[in-house]
Amino acid sequence: MSWVLGVDSGGSGLRFALGSTASDGSAAVTTVATTASAEPVRTGPSGIDAGQLLARLLPAVDTLLAEAGVDQGAGGDRTTLSAVAIGAAGMATLGDGLRAELPAALERSLGVRRVALAADAVTAYAGALGQRPGAVVAAGTGMIALGTDLTGWRRADGWGHLLGDCGGGAWIGRAGLEAAMRAHDGRRGGSPALLSRIEAMFGPAPELPGLLYPRTDRPAVLASFAPEVARCAAGDPVAEGIVSTAARHIAEAAAAVCPPSGACEVALTGGLFGLGDPLLVPLRAELAGQLPHATTVSSATDPLGGALLIAGALAADALRLPPDARLLNVPTEQDG
């Protein structure tokens, strides 16, 4: 048996999981202990702050090993871990600093040479489907689809609320707010029902730009209105149209990344799908129309579980998910 660490770094903070691998040398991992930090890792001029992530990770490792009853010795020896897998939001575009600094830092600090640095969409994929071919749509504030035939990755969207994330929470919320403002102005396409909801949530409609535009967390604020759009969808055709269009965008992203040949499993993961039937009913219809050969399946676990699965596979030399310079960086594999 050996110990492995999975890390999930996102906008709501950091989560860590310590797992034990199977004694038979397989890639199976059992979660032993978890801990979390509510403060997210900073993003600076060089991208995600590798130093700050490491400063959070090392005490978490100590906490988890102590909780698991691992004797670290009088000197606090942390050389017990066989592999570490870190999934981080923004890794694909903001992870250059992590990729340059973290593997060597982890080897110095933890004595671990098996390291995987993954985009959070990859750990979401691993948590949902494990190491088999298919596609995963991860949707919350944003939306990204990722698929693989185990020879390479196919990505669709995940470009942020200004350039894409079509169908995600911020997209739905922004469309709902626009429809509300149209109703306020008396323009076509407006929704009095949504106007009523923004006034209940944010106050008078003319004050909304002043409340929204200065915010640094605009995507999250936009996404906070998505549940209101979903609640209005049953009785308001404008809100229903917004949610139906979101479903079409999500299905289009899934269709773009499904392996082109053979059957395709599609897993849906993320908080957006908690909107329930207002989104899921049109989404199932869109998936059936755009991907008639696909089967929608439930996610096995979450992105933290996916990070732990990748770490376990690394420890057992059994990682089948394809390495990628930005999406799944595995220095020990790529550097020989």
Side-chain angles (χ1 to χ4, degrees):
M1 184 183 73
S2 63
W3 302 100
V4 295
L5 181 73
V7 182
D8 178 42
S9 174
S12 58
L14 279 161
R15 297 188 300 153
F16 307 89
L18 181 71
S20 62
T21 62
S23 57
D24 60 4
S26 70
V29 180
T30 300
T31 302
V32 175
T34 62
T35 188
S37 168
E39 184 183 351
V41 176
R42 290 189 302 261
T43 299
S46 61
I48 302 168
D49 190 326
Q52 190 190 44
L53 194 155
L54 186 68
R56 302 273 190 81
L57 185 149
L58 296 180
V61 169
D62 290 340
T63 299
L64 292 170
L65 290 173
E67 187 173 337
V70 179
D71 183 5
Q72 299 179 64
D77 181 13
R78 299 190 186 101
T79 63
T80 317
L81 296 176
S82 298
V84 175
I86 299 171
M91 178 72 78
T93 53
L94 299 171
D96 287 347
L98 289 188
R99 287 184 285 268
E101 300 175 29
L102 210 54
L106 288 171
E107 184 173 1
R108 288 194 304 270
S109 303
L110 299 175
V112 59
R113 298 190 67 249
R114 297 172 185 259
V115 176
L117 302 177
D120 56 345
V122 171
T123 52
Y125 185 102
L129 294 180
Q131 298 201 82
R132 59 187 192 268
V136 169
V137 177
T141 297
M143 194 283 298
I144 185 171
L146 200 64
T148 184
D149 57 2
L150 301 186
T151 65
W153 294 99
R154 296 164 66 93
R155 168 187 173 164
D157 215 334
W159 305 122
H161 74 291
L162 293 178
L163 299 177
D165 283 355
C166 299
W171 186 96
I172 292 173
R174 195 214 62 81
L177 292 172
E178 180 191 344
M181 300 309 290
R182 283 179 172 273
H184 174 268
D185 295 344
R187 290 179 287 151
R188 292 175 57 184
S191 167
L194 292 175
L195 176 59
S196 175
R197 295 312 307 147
I198 71 162
E199 290 175 338
M201 284 186 66
F202 301 109
E207 296 180 9
L208 184 59
L211 294 173
L212 181 62
Y213 292 145
R215 297 284 290 262
T216 58
D217 59 345
R218 281 188 300 274
V221 177
L222 293 171
S224 72
F225 195 63
E228 301 299 327
V229 180
R231 290 187 190 102
C232 290
D236 179 65
V238 174
E240 181 186 16
I242 291 169
V243 178
S244 295
T245 302
R248 186 177 76 245
H249 286 314
I250 293 168
E252 287 170 350
V257 303
C258 261
S261 60
C264 178
E265 291 182 312
V266 178
L268 307 176
T269 183
L272 185 70
F273 300 112
L275 295 180
D277 283 349
L279 176 63
L280 293 176
V281 169
L283 179 55
R284 292 188 191 107
E286 288 285 349
L287 288 170
Q290 296 190 41
L291 284 168
H293 64 290
T295 302
T296 303
V297 299
S298 300
S299 295
T301 185
D302 64 4
L304 181 60
L308 203 57
L309 181 148
I310 291 171
L314 271 181
D317 290 320
L319 185 63
R320 299 195 303 275
L321 295 175
D324 180 273
R326 292 188 173 274
L327 294 174
L328 181 56
N329 190 268
V330 186
T332 51
E333 283 194 7
Q334 294 178 340
D335 299 338

